[in-house]
Amino acid sequence: MCCLCAVLFLAYVQAVLALWPLPRSLKTGFTTLKLAPDFGIHVNIAYAPADLEDAVTRTKAFLRTDRLGRLVVGRGVSDSEAIQRAKSLGSIELSLAHGASVRSVTEEARLPIGTRSEEYALHVPADGSAATLAANSTLGLLRGLTTFEQLWYEWQGEIYTTAAPVLIADSPAYPFRGFMLDTSRNFFPVADIKRTLDAMSWVKMSQFHWHVVDSQSFPLEVPGFAELAAKGAYSSSTVYSASDVQEIVAYAGARGIDVMVEIDTPGHTAIIANSHPEHVACAEASPWTTFANEPPAGQLRLASPFTTNFTAGLLATVARMFPSAVMSTGGDELNTDCYAQDPETQADLQASGRTLEEALDVFTRATHAAIRAEGKTPAVWEEMVLQHNVTLGNDTIVMVWISSANAAAVAAKNFRVVHGPSDYFYLDCGAGEWIGDDVANSWCDPFKTWQKSYTFDPLANISASHAHLVLGGEQLLWTEQSGPENLDSIVWPRAASSAEVFWSGPGGNLTAALPRLHDVAFRMRQRGVNAIPLQPLWCALRPGKCDLDS
């Protein structure tokens, strides 16, 4: 009986080898089916949105150009006879449920978190009759097309699957499945961001968290605040213009991804002193270790009404640049020594009769009111809830980063939670310390392997009554030691691990997941994303043979 179970398990692994994230409900067979030379994708929707038609065009192209050999010894030679005998699939029919609203993929992707419809049903018969893909939204159809693409391999010009029939009913466990990129410490051209968005869409990520500015540089061109980028970017060629933002946001939306911009305040704002020294306390003060978590030091003078109004105006303008319903105002790593030694801040506190915490509350209420007036729900880092006593709306989204253990305390305060803990999801950890004269390891060692992030449990230590507050999570790349040169290799395929955790739910088996994740990496490389190998090719072609107990 145990031997039979092992055989069935291996057969199951082979049958679903390519699917990532794993569908919530999946039934497959063992029949080989190939695509007809004139295979077509038919959209049975009156006045189908242009971005859905574009998605269909991309799928057709991927089916032709992926040219991915099956990850088995011989790369498909053992399938050749079955391919010759196989029936051909001539088409797949796409449709929306009766009565469903016809909106663009982009519109659906930008709906408030928790209201998006991403579910779909996919049926690929084994007899060559038309496949069907049905959903309640164009966003769901996009997710289904992504799954459909992953079913197919290539051998000697034939595109085929060995797993027909395929019957899938799928939907995400969590709505927020994200990746954060820091573009301040080092700059990333628009092409790199778009390539990253492509890869995100292939594993059904829904949220691009753009940490666009920080103390090191201000590369965002903001209408009415042009001096910030003019004096705060590394150079005139390392700036995101308003048209760049529009291009990135549109590109993301068409791929089912919402863009949440972050303007971190009041900390992490030293660079603003280049254009507005009147607003920044302890700008580039030395030693920086006294005044900041990393160089350069500098924080907005949060006790100043003048600075508060300036910041509110800046955030409101940025909010108008991004169509997402959510925007992050940061709020992490506030350094109190900076304010204690800043004469202007001390004078403002004395004049108002407020403590620093009370001044922070005034600042936060003013800046959040400014973005709420633009239709945005605020997101903040966990310190704003766990370390400070500030007034936050009940709908505020709280991003947990310091430790996975802190999520339960945030949820206990009835705030919505996005997981991004450094002990699971920080992609930059383990590369060694970047401070010039320090030979220590990075503060968040060790390196966070895909296995580590894949074992994450979004509901660990969170009570059943608070489980509904968990929106999902994200993997994050802080870029002190990253740039365009290593973006793909440091992110992919590791970041796909959390994409499955938050789509399929936790508890996945590492042994069963690894062959599928190999497939993700191989397919990404076929599409121009330089994902790194996870094992020697010998292991990738022999699932399970490189496990410890093999």
Side-chain angles (χ1 to χ4, degrees):
M1 185 66 169
C2 290
C3 291
L4 177 60
C5 290
V7 170
L8 290 176
F9 172 74
L10 287 174
Y12 174 77
V13 167
Q14 291 297 319
V16 301
L17 198 61
L19 300 185
W20 193 284
L22 194 64
R24 306 289 293 285
S25 174
L26 170 66
K27 296 179 182 178
T28 62
F30 300 94
T31 300
T32 300
L33 180 71
K34 59 189 176 184
L35 291 187
D38 59 348
F39 173 79
I41 300 178
H42 304 146
V43 181
N44 298 324
I45 301 170
Y47 308 108
D51 56 8
L52 178 61
E53 296 284 6
D54 289 343
V56 167
T57 299
R58 290 196 302 273
T59 295
K60 289 179 179 178
F62 288 143
L63 291 172
R64 292 193 308 271
T65 62
D66 275 355
R67 298 188 178 277
L68 179 62
R70 202 153 68 88
L71 295 184
V72 294
V73 176
R75 302 304 300 274
V77 65
S78 60
D79 301 327
S80 57
E81 290 187 11
I83 294 171
Q84 290 177 5
R85 298 192 305 268
K87 294 182 178 180
S88 295
L89 178 65
S91 66
I92 182 171
E93 308 288 327
L94 274 57
S95 63
L96 290 177
H98 179 70
S101 298
V102 181
R103 289 185 289 228
S104 69
V105 173
T106 299
E107 289 176 283
E108 297 283 354
R110 293 174 183 168
L111 291 173
I113 297 169
T115 68
R116 302 164 190 165
S117 173
E118 299 182 80
E119 64 274 12
Y120 66 92
L122 174 64
H123 181 212
V124 182
D127 62 2
S129 58
T132 59
L133 173 59
N136 293 318
S137 71
T138 55
L139 180 59
L141 292 176
L142 174 72
R143 303 301 186 215
L145 285 171
T146 301
T147 299
F148 183 75
E149 295 164 9
Q150 295 176 337
L151 292 171
W152 306 95
Y153 297 101
E154 190 269 347
W155 176 254
Q156 293 187 342
E158 296 283 3
I159 302 166
Y160 71 102
T161 181
T162 60
V166 179
L167 190 62
I168 292 173
D170 203 9
S171 61
Y174 296 95
F176 193 114
R177 306 175 306 280
F179 169 67
M180 190 219 77
L181 180 64
D182 159 25
T183 59
S184 170
R185 278 130 181 133
N186 283 303
F187 182 84
F188 295 80
V190 171
D192 290 312
I193 295 176
K194 290 168 72 173
R195 190 177 66 258
T196 300
L197 292 167
D198 281 330
M200 290 173 65
S201 72
W202 300 335
V203 292
K204 299 185 177 70
M205 284 183 166
S206 62
Q207 210 72 34
F208 177 50
H209 174 181
W210 191 0
H211 187 91
V212 62
V213 301
D214 208 291
S215 279
Q216 289 78 10
S217 76
F218 200 107
L220 180 64
E221 192 173 85
V222 182
F225 296 83
E227 71 280 3
L228 294 175
K231 295 185 177 181
Y234 287 127
S235 71
S236 60
S237 64
T238 55
V239 172
Y240 302 108
S241 67
S243 62
D244 289 335
V245 169
Q246 290 176 350
E247 181 180 352
I248 289 168
V249 166
Y251 196 87
R255 285 151 184 78
I257 298 168
D258 184 37
V259 179
M260 178 183 76
V261 67
E262 179 184 352
I263 305 294
D264 203 352
T265 61
H268 291 271
T269 47
I271 196 65
I272 292 177
N274 285 17
S275 54
H276 289 282
E278 70 276 14
H279 292 312
V280 179
C282 57
E284 297 193 34
S286 180
W288 64 262
T289 51
T290 300
F291 303 103
N293 281 52
E294 65 178 54
Q299 303 178 149
L300 289 171
R301 288 188 167 119
L302 59 84
S304 163
F306 182 40
T307 299
T308 298
N309 290 338
F310 167 84
T311 308
L314 170 63
L315 294 179
T317 304
V318 173
R320 290 191 288 272
M321 297 174 67
F322 290 84
S324 175
V326 63
M327 175 179 176
S328 174
T329 61
D332 61 319
E333 297 184 327
L334 203 59
N335 185 290
T336 56
D337 285 339
C338 171
Y339 293 126
Q341 298 187 41
D342 181 52
E344 288 86 347
T345 296
Q346 293 304 308
D348 286 328
L349 291 174
Q350 185 174 5
S352 66
R354 299 186 180 109
T355 65
L356 185 64
E357 279 293 303
E358 290 169 340
L360 176 61
D361 181 52
V362 172
F363 178 91
T364 303
R365 284 190 283 117
T367 53
H368 282 196
I371 67 170
R372 284 185 182 279
E374 301 299 333
K376 308 302 183 190
T377 298
V380 297
W381 295 112
E382 65 177 82
E383 292 99 314
M384 296 298 281
V385 169
L386 300 181
Q387 295 181 16
H388 300 292
N389 184 23
V390 298
T391 304
L392 297 172
N394 290 336
D395 61 343
T396 301
I397 296 170
V398 180
M399 301 175 292
V400 173
W401 71 273
I402 296 173
S403 169
S404 56
N406 294 347
V410 172
K413 291 179 178 288
N414 289 311
F415 287 104
R416 294 187 291 172
V417 175
V418 168
H419 291 289
S422 58
D423 50 332
Y424 281 87
F425 291 149
Y426 270 30
L427 295 165
D428 52 300
C429 298
E433 184 55 81
W434 58 271
I435 301 301
D437 56 355
D438 191 343
V439 296
N441 294 325
S442 64
W443 72 271
C444 56
D445 265 22
F447 181 86
K448 302 303 182 284
T449 66
W450 76 266
Q451 294 97 326
K452 175 70 173 178
S453 51
Y454 192 74
T455 61
F456 183 76
D457 181 1
L459 298 182
N461 302 315
I462 292 177
S463 68
S465 61
H466 293 135
H468 69 283
L469 296 170
V470 178
L471 297 179
E474 62 182 2
Q475 289 192 258
L476 307 91
L477 181 61
W478 301 104
T479 60
E480 287 90 348
Q481 294 178 293
S482 296
E485 299 79 6
N486 69 338
L487 175 61
D488 290 0
S489 60
I490 200 169
V491 176
W492 305 111
R494 274 195 298 159
S497 58
S498 66
E500 177 153 302
V501 168
F502 294 114
W503 179 282
S504 310
N509 180 280
L510 289 170
T511 298
L514 179 55
R516 293 185 294 108
L517 193 55
H518 278 310
D519 231 284
V520 171
F522 274 75
R523 198 174 294 273
M524 283 186 171
R525 289 195 290 273
Q526 294 295 99
R527 297 179 180 185
V529 172
N530 194 26
I532 62 168
L534 296 173
Q535 288 182 315
L537 181 58
W538 190 93
C539 303
L541 299 180
R542 297 165 176 83
K545 289 294 186 180
C546 294
D547 288 357
L548 280 173
D549 58 354
S550 175

